[in-house]
Amino acid sequence: MLDWKSRIALAALGLGLVAQAQAADFSVPISVVGLSEAGATVADGGPVSSFGDNPADMVFFPGTRMGLDIIASKPSYTFNGAGGASASPSSKLNILPNLFVTHRFDSLPLAVGLGITEPYRINTTWPTGSFPGTANAPVNAPVKTDLQLIDVNPGVAYLLLPDLSIGVGVDYYQSISATFDSTLSPASGTGGGVGGNIGLFYTTETWNAGLSYRSQANISAAGGTITLPGRAQAGVRYRFTPALATELDVDWTDWSSAKLPNTPSLGWKSALAYRLGLSYHLNQDLELRGGLAHESNPATSSSYEASVPAAASNLLALGAGVQLGDWHWDLGASYALSGSTTVNNGNGFDGTYKASAFSFGAALSRHF
């Protein structure tokens, strides 16, 4: 067993090593464990934050669990215009707090939970003159895009069989900030909308399986509609030994339905992401994590939206979990690097776009 000095040293080392970012679109990670395993957690069930991916798993954990995950994310974008000009929009460090609480009833095969998360974030400001337009006309170029949403997600899970559960939840989205300013049509305002989610969770001594779906949601804000995409996740987690486990997830996100107030439609396509996570318990107090992911590009050359730069990305993640007395700490980080997206359709936005993102986070949880 580690003494307290060793635990603190390892926690500090984990914080220095770990951070997850997503450069493919404008969704962001909501849990530090998910951050550490490249998002491969729909079949995990261990951390209280897994409620955010799959509401069904919480019924397998007795008592009350509570966790606070704080994630900091810093995206970066570059644009090299077809005429030789280049620009990089400024983007702030986004601080994303996420809260999770679950409770399993002693006398019933039933659990309830609540998540308050920030699952989507955009923050870009393009320098003046980044997109001068064509020879015939100026373009309605993006200037500032700032979207910050909170998802208030109550849910309930029921044990169908000793090893199988189902969970359902409601997602109430409220925009804290919704600014979509362009050179010809500034727009801002806040609003709310409702969606839902459902999940299944199956567990045995050696493996878990998870399946979840989060519905599309429409939010009235900034003089228009924000349409958040539907998303399906499926994963299998296998325990080679009591100490070593790996998980493979596949995500499908229906970005073809996504919409922002300043665009009739983003014109994106549905996209897949493939995620591989790994966890290893060195002992009962220390767990190491890692992950790899590939996220495909929802945008095409003909539908590229400069206010929300998107590209295919590859992601590397690392993390650690440390038990300190009654409290459990999780630390994680990742770096996502996109490929280049070249736009050449004569609409004033021609050029090559690249994106990257670095995120890191810390979480504190307790089982009562």
Side-chain angles (χ1 to χ4, degrees):
M1 180 172 297
L2 298 174
D3 61 28
W4 69 272
K5 292 181 180 179
S6 299
R7 292 176 180 177
I8 292 174
L10 285 167
L13 175 62
L15 184 58
L17 285 175
V18 294
Q20 173 187 347
Q22 294 181 227
D25 47 64
F26 58 91
S27 62
V28 292
I30 60 172
S31 81
V32 173
V33 173
L35 186 72
S36 306
E37 296 190 28
T41 55
V42 72
D44 187 350
V48 61
S49 59
S50 63
F51 170 78
D53 291 319
N54 190 341
D57 58 36
M58 61 180 168
V59 76
F60 288 97
F61 299 90
T64 301
R65 300 183 300 161
M66 180 180 297
L68 175 64
D69 294 48
I70 298 178
I71 297 172
S73 179
K74 183 67 171 71
S76 178
Y77 310 99
T78 59
F79 167 67
N80 293 305
S86 62
S88 295
S90 62
S91 183
K92 298 178 182 178
L93 178 68
N94 300 314
I95 306 298
L96 311 168
N98 303 278
L99 177 68
F100 305 94
V101 181
T102 68
H103 176 75
R104 163 70 192 264
F105 295 98
D106 293 334
S107 58
L108 296 172
L110 189 72
V112 293
L114 175 67
I116 302 176
T117 63
E118 291 192 42
Y120 295 95
R121 188 74 171 98
I122 314 171
N123 181 267
T124 58
T125 302
W126 286 92
T128 302
S130 297
F131 307 100
T134 66
N136 298 323
V139 297
N140 188 21
V143 176
K144 180 179 181 179
T145 305
D146 185 18
L147 175 64
Q148 185 176 11
L149 293 175
I150 287 180
D151 176 13
V152 180
N153 172 208
V156 60
Y158 184 76
L159 198 62
L160 296 172
L161 297 170
D163 49 14
L164 176 66
S165 63
I166 186 172
V168 294
V170 174
D171 294 290
Y172 174 73
Y173 297 98
Q174 176 64 45
S175 61
I176 298 175
S177 173
T179 299
F180 301 90
D181 289 345
S182 62
T183 52
L184 302 181
S185 56
S188 63
T190 59
V194 178
N197 60 86
I198 186 170
L200 291 170
F201 186 77
Y202 180 80
T203 183
T204 70
E205 185 176 345
T206 56
W207 63 279
N208 300 344
L211 178 66
S212 71
Y213 176 74
R214 182 161 260 106
S215 74
Q216 174 182 310
N218 295 315
I219 300 169
S220 298
T225 300
I226 300 168
T227 301
L228 302 177
R231 185 188 187 200
Q233 297 173 266
V236 175
R237 191 174 192 88
Y238 183 76
R239 287 177 286 278
F240 295 95
T241 69
L244 177 64
T246 187
E247 179 166 335
L248 176 64
D249 286 10
V250 178
D251 302 352
W252 172 83
T253 305
D254 186 18
W255 288 108
S256 64
S257 64
K259 183 180 180 299
L260 296 175
N262 58 343
T263 59
S265 170
L266 286 176
W268 287 2
K269 59 184 179 181
S270 299
L272 290 172
Y274 306 92
R275 308 183 188 279
L276 178 65
L278 182 72
S279 65
Y280 180 71
H281 287 266
L282 288 175
N283 53 50
Q284 64 180 5
D285 295 318
L286 177 62
E287 180 182 9
L288 301 180
R289 305 186 182 99
L292 299 169
H294 173 75
E295 300 167 344
S296 57
N297 189 359
T300 64
S301 176
S302 61
S303 66
Y304 200 87
E305 177 57 51
S307 63
V308 192
S313 67
N314 296 305
L315 182 148
L316 171 66
L318 295 170
V322 181
Q323 189 73 35
L324 297 172
D326 294 330
W327 297 90
H328 186 83
W329 288 84
D330 291 300
L331 307 162
S334 75
Y335 181 71
L337 180 65
S338 78
S340 299
T341 299
T342 300
V343 177
N344 185 22
N345 51 25
N347 64 358
F349 298 97
D350 291 354
T352 300
Y353 298 80
K354 288 195 73 172
S356 64
F358 177 73
S359 298
F360 61 93
L364 180 63
S365 61
R366 184 168 178 175
H367 187 176
F368 297 91

